[in-house]
Amino acid sequence: MDEKRNELKKIIMDTKTLPTLPGVISKLNSLSDNDKSSVQEMARIVSSDQVLSARILRLANSPSYGFYRVSTISNAMILLGVNVVKSLALSSSIFEIMEKNSVGLWEHSLGVGVASNLIATKLGLPECEEIATAGLLHDIGKVIISLKCSEAEREVRRVIGEKRVHMREAEQEVIDTDHAEVGGWLAKSWFLPDKLSEPINCHHNVAASGNHRIKTAVVHIADALIKASGFGDSGDGYVPQIQQAAWDTLKLDEQIIADLVEELEDKLVEVKNFSLELQQGVDNAATY
């Protein structure tokens, strides 16, 4: 039964055509890990990517950051912080992959990222931006399965339609693994930190999470809330039940969930507008 799983893992880990983490992210990671690196050095790396630079300046000058008038990447990085810039750079590259694959999945992922940030902020958790990034990336395994195993993906969709099961169950039947584990493999191959790879790998099994169970629980609940809202397209129409391990880890109750759902509704309108704006930008770029 492990044969298909091992074969898929070998394909993903060995293939030279696997989407690789953009050089900008790799260099930013390297510089941010070095205490001697300066903001100016990191700004020079970011400035090499025009699209990313424009997005960073736009965010730095947005109402969310108090309408500052920021015109340089280095000042924007000081205002936003290195982690926010890295998250933005990472999400930009992921969008490029998803845009070719599924806008619906992109919107679902973006929604989970926003919901993760909302939950983390409401609970007063540290590293909200990184939790949001984990939410954004939680379904990256679905993209890779689609890219590398298109025939198996079609079979998965057939099983979902015929047996009316969650995508994860259909994936286990067809390829002996699931998108969460595949996403974990990819995160490892990209050398992403465990605080990102563990929530990706365990977002459907919170109890299996070890060192980063709080982040994993947040992403798990955010995924359920976004699926319940019907926002985006995660590949099946079924809402997973929130696992007891997530309730216990975050010490949630039904009133907190109800408050989160109410706040999330307004956020999702903004997310939809953002998605449409990005798609318009892609269409315009293709035109020219």
Side-chain angles (χ1 to χ4, degrees):
M1 287 294 291
D2 287 339
E3 186 175 344
K4 291 181 181 177
R5 175 178 175 274
N6 291 336
E7 182 181 349
L8 177 58
K9 184 176 183 180
K10 189 174 189 309
I11 290 172
I12 290 173
M13 302 302 284
D14 289 351
T15 182
K16 295 180 180 178
T17 58
L18 187 71
T20 54
L21 200 58
V24 170
I25 297 291
S26 300
K27 291 175 182 174
L28 274 178
N29 276 333
S30 176
L31 287 174
S32 62
D33 288 341
N34 186 346
D35 294 338
K36 296 181 180 178
S37 300
S38 67
V39 170
Q40 285 71 27
E41 286 178 286
M42 289 185 266
R44 276 197 293 274
I45 298 299
V46 172
S47 299
S48 66
D49 186 320
Q50 293 181 337
V51 174
L52 178 59
S53 297
R55 286 178 176 165
I56 287 172
L57 287 172
R58 178 181 162 198
L59 179 62
N61 287 285
S62 72
S64 301
Y65 286 87
F67 280 122
Y68 285 91
R69 291 294 175 259
V70 178
S71 59
T72 67
I73 295 298
S74 56
N75 284 342
M77 291 189 71
I78 291 171
L79 176 65
L80 299 174
V82 173
N83 285 335
V84 172
V85 172
K86 285 166 61 178
S87 296
L88 195 60
L90 194 55
S91 63
S92 295
S93 66
I94 295 303
F95 175 72
E96 288 180 8
I97 297 172
M98 286 190 175
E99 185 273 334
K100 297 175 183 174
N101 191 67
S102 169
V103 172
L105 180 58
W106 157 253
E107 289 183 341
H108 168 75
S109 300
L110 193 57
V112 173
V114 169
S116 297
N117 197 347
L118 185 65
I119 294 169
T121 302
K122 193 171 187 64
L123 297 180
L125 301 177
E127 301 181 316
C128 292
E129 291 293 341
E130 288 181 330
I131 293 175
T133 301
L136 180 71
L137 299 177
H138 78 291
D139 270 349
I140 189 63
K142 292 179 182 176
V143 181
I144 302 309
I145 291 172
S146 177
L147 289 174
K148 307 308 298 183
C149 309
S150 56
E151 187 174 337
E153 186 205 26
R154 287 193 290 274
E155 181 65 10
V156 166
R157 293 190 182 280
R158 185 191 66 76
V159 172
I160 292 172
E162 284 188 3
K163 298 188 176 181
R164 299 184 181 280
V165 295
H166 289 269
M167 175 173 273
R168 189 181 180 211
E169 295 172 66
E171 290 168 340
Q172 287 287 353
E173 179 176 325
V174 175
I175 56 177
D176 293 340
T177 182
D178 60 46
H179 62 271
E181 185 174 43
V182 170
W185 294 339
L186 184 68
K188 291 290 186 184
S189 75
W190 279 356
F191 302 105
L192 296 184
D194 290 345
K195 55 188 171 186
L196 292 182
S197 65
E198 191 169 304
I200 292 171
N201 192 24
C202 301
H203 72 271
H204 285 303
N205 186 5
V206 176
S209 179
N211 296 327
H212 302 286
R213 184 170 294 190
I214 291 176
K215 292 181 174 68
T216 302
V218 170
V219 173
H220 168 76
I221 290 174
D223 185 32
L225 293 181
I226 292 300
K227 293 200 73 168
S229 75
F231 188 81
D233 179 9
S234 67
D236 64 49
Y238 308 115
V239 180
Q241 185 175 6
I242 295 177
Q243 297 171 356
Q244 190 61 47
W247 287 103
D248 295 343
T249 300
L250 299 181
K251 298 179 172 54
L252 293 175
D253 57 40
E254 292 185 359
Q255 184 58 52
I256 294 177
I257 294 292
D259 292 343
L260 284 169
V261 169
E262 187 174 347
E263 291 182 44
L264 191 56
E265 288 180 359
D266 290 337
K267 294 282 187 185
L268 291 182
V269 173
E270 298 174 14
V271 172
K272 185 65 180 179
N273 290 336
F274 180 61
S275 174
L276 291 172
E277 189 176 329
L278 285 180
Q279 289 171 52
Q280 183 65 43
V282 170
D283 292 342
N284 289 341
T287 300
Y288 295 103

